[in-house]
Amino acid sequence: MNIGEIGEFGLIEKLTKDIALKNPTTVKGVGDDAAVIAAHMEETLVSTDMLLEGVHFDLTYTPLKHLGCKAAMVNFSDIYAMNGYPRQMLVAIGISKRFTVEQVEEIYEGMRFACDLHGVDLVGGDTTASLTGLTICITVVGACEPDKVVYRSGAKPADLICVSGNLGAAYMGLLLLEREKQVFEAGGKSPQLEGHDYIVGRFLKPEARKDIVDSLREAEIVPTSMIDISDGLSSEVLHLCKQSNVGARLFLDKIPVARDTNRMAEELNMNPMTAAFNGGEDYELLFTIPLPLHDKVKDLGKVDIIGHIVEPGQGAYIIPPDGEPIKLQAQGFVHGK
Ligand code: ADP
Ligand code: MG
């Protein structure tokens, strides 16, 4: 169906009909001039992220449903990185004429899936026509008890540096998708992704780590600092160091990398640590805890301790098992390129 047939209001109605509200703090969702959110006694966390076609995503290998889901997930991840929970979300979307109603609905299906998984209410947004590509801008509202909000700025010397999951897989997935796209566009064979489900999935379907925030709460651990890994480990560790005014030591042989990531790196003749340190889009959580909590965090069973914080002025270095320390450099992940 052509969007022109039902118009902007028809489209909004289609996209937002029968949204069931899940949170007691959602007083009013879609349908008025503004959504209404009750604050209660918690801190309100607000974050926004914009995704541009051709810059942040490539529709030749990104299914629309995955795109919608990922757009929501990366926003939830920012709220989890504050040790809070996402509750409401607003979606501003710019759509060019080449999209059909069904395609936009697919994007929303993905967003709804993410919202259901994370208990988030879609409470509003904006819809406009775009002259060029697709734009999705999501704003998420979250909540956290005042004494549990975790900033980037709280890391202290001797704190342990912890990371959830594994790193570099999403970047290897992206490299594979890009390679197969180029082969295909050059008139070669159709994309060969078999056997690479894990890394492709990590890129196309990242999962925001709500489970880590749950586990930390259960174990009564409040990290001293936290950030989500969207631009690669190097850049995020340097953010923590800068904002906490401390240095860091990371042990190269402690960096968690999945078997499939190593396998793809070998196939592409590159060092998997490049993907872990300078790749992006892992959406794992990087956080610091006081040294005495070592055993408690180990007992969580899903977090690796990869290093520790040192005094300011001592810089940030990677320590290889043998050889000289390597100065940590922020390459900053350039999304999609
Ligand atoms: P306004 O003229 O006040 O901007 P709109 O017609 O744009 O109102 O929006 C009407 C309602 O639909 C509002 O509650 C708005 O938040 C919601 N809305 C508009 N576009 C979207 C969208 N893409 N996704 C979700 N909700 C939307
Ligand atoms: Mg509007």
Side-chain angles (χ1 to χ4, degrees), residues 8-9 12 15-16 29-33 91 93 108 122-127:
E8 182 194 323
F9 297 126
I12 294 172
L15 296 175
T16 58
V30 171
D32 216 308
D33 298 308
V91 183
I93 187 165
Y108 269 68
L122 177 58
V123 296
D126 199 24
T127 310

Side-chain angles (χ1 to χ4, degrees), residues 315-327:
Y317 287 87
I318 304 167
I319 314 289
D322 39 36
E324 292 295 299
I326 305 158
K327 196 169 169 50

Side-chain angles (χ1 to χ4, degrees), residues 6 8-19 30 91 93 95 100-109 111-112 122 126-127:
I6 56 171
E8 182 194 323
F9 297 126
L11 180 65
I12 294 172
E13 203 181 308
K14 240 181 181 323
L15 296 175
T16 58
K17 71 171 179 328
D18 38 77
I19 288 180
V30 171
V91 183
I93 187 165
I95 322 160
T100 63
V101 172
E102 288 77 11
Q103 285 176 313
V104 184
E105 282 184 304
E106 252 180 81
I107 298 172
Y108 269 68
E109 224 180 283
M111 289 195 299
R112 282 188 195 220
L122 177 58
D126 199 24
T127 310

Side-chain angles (χ1 to χ4, degrees), residues 261-279:
T261 306
N262 281 320
R263 195 159 55 86
M264 191 70 229
E266 203 173 304
E267 195 181 319
L268 295 180
N269 199 17
M270 66 176 276
N271 186 341
M273 286 303 159
T274 305
F277 279 95
N278 300 319

Side-chain angles (χ1 to χ4, degrees), residues 28-318:
K28 171 74 187 174
V30 171
D32 216 308
D33 298 308
V36 180
I37 297 168
H40 292 321
M41 294 305 290
E42 297 188 313
E43 304 277 42
T44 300
L45 312 172
V46 189
S47 178
T48 195
D49 249 312
M50 180 153 70
L51 298 177
L52 302 178
E53 184 180 348
V55 179
H56 302 98
F57 59 88
D58 185 330
L59 289 177
T60 53
Y61 52 70
T62 310
L64 291 169
K65 200 170 154 183
H66 291 67
L67 178 65
C69 184
K70 181 168 176 173
M73 285 290 185
V74 304
N75 275 276
F76 301 168
S77 179
D78 280 323
I79 300 294
Y80 294 129
M82 301 296 292
N83 203 32
Y85 288 96
R87 301 284 192 223
Q88 289 88 14
M89 170 174 119
L90 296 103
V91 183
I93 187 165
I95 322 160
S96 66
K97 279 202 201 70
R98 68 188 160 90
F99 280 87
T100 63
V101 172
E102 288 77 11
Q103 285 176 313
V104 184
E105 282 184 304
E106 252 180 81
I107 298 172
Y108 269 68
E109 224 180 283
M111 289 195 299
R112 282 188 195 220
F113 174 82
C115 283
D116 286 344
L117 211 58
H118 289 260
V120 173
D121 292 326
L122 177 58
V123 296
D126 199 24
T127 310
T128 63
S130 150
L131 289 182
T132 52
L134 174 67
T135 302
I136 304 174
C137 182
I138 294 187
T139 301
V140 62
V141 180
C144 186
E145 304 91 311
D147 59 337
K148 294 207 170 63
V149 179
V150 176
Y151 297 92
R152 295 178 177 184
S153 54
K156 297 277 181 301
D159 280 359
L160 299 172
I161 304 174
C162 309
V163 71
S164 65
N166 62 72
L167 303 176
Y171 185 66
M172 294 316 300
L174 170 63
L175 289 188
L176 174 66
L177 288 166
E178 283 286 338
R179 182 186 75 176
E180 293 303 312
K181 177 189 168 185
Q182 276 163 22
V183 170
F184 182 67
E185 283 181 344
K189 56 187 173 16
S190 58
Q192 306 284 312
L193 303 174
E194 294 84 42
H196 295 297
D197 296 8
Y198 180 71
I199 57 169
V200 172
R202 288 278 296 186
F203 178 74
L204 293 179
K205 299 183 288 184
E207 278 165 45
R209 297 305 303 262
K210 171 180 191 289
D211 63 311
I212 297 292
V213 174
D214 286 340
S215 296
L216 289 171
R217 273 217 176 26
E218 233 166 82
E220 294 180 2
I221 299 170
V222 179
T224 48
S225 69
M226 185 148 62
I227 189 168
D228 68 328
I229 304 183
S230 52
D231 296 332
L233 184 60
S234 296
S235 132
E236 315 303 359
V237 168
L238 289 170
H239 278 310
L240 289 188
C241 285
K242 186 164 184 218
Q243 298 197 31
S244 297
N245 188 31
V246 292
R249 296 293 177 269
L250 301 175
F251 297 100
L252 194 59
D253 55 355
K254 302 273 187 231
I255 308 301
V257 173
R259 193 167 40 90
D260 291 7
T261 306
N262 281 320
R263 195 159 55 86
M264 191 70 229
E266 203 173 304
E267 195 181 319
L268 295 180
N269 199 17
M270 66 176 276
N271 186 341
M273 286 303 159
T274 305
F277 279 95
N278 300 319
E281 312 223 21
D282 289 312
Y283 298 105
E284 295 294 347
L285 292 175
L286 175 74
F287 57 95
T288 53
I289 56 156
L291 183 58
L293 296 182
H294 175 279
D295 291 355
K296 237 183 176 182
V297 91
K298 268 277 162 208
D299 287 345
L300 296 179
K302 46 181 158 187
V303 168
D304 280 295
I305 297 170
I306 59 170
H308 59 262
I309 297 294
V310 295
E311 296 288 339
Q314 298 190 346
Y317 287 87
I318 304 167

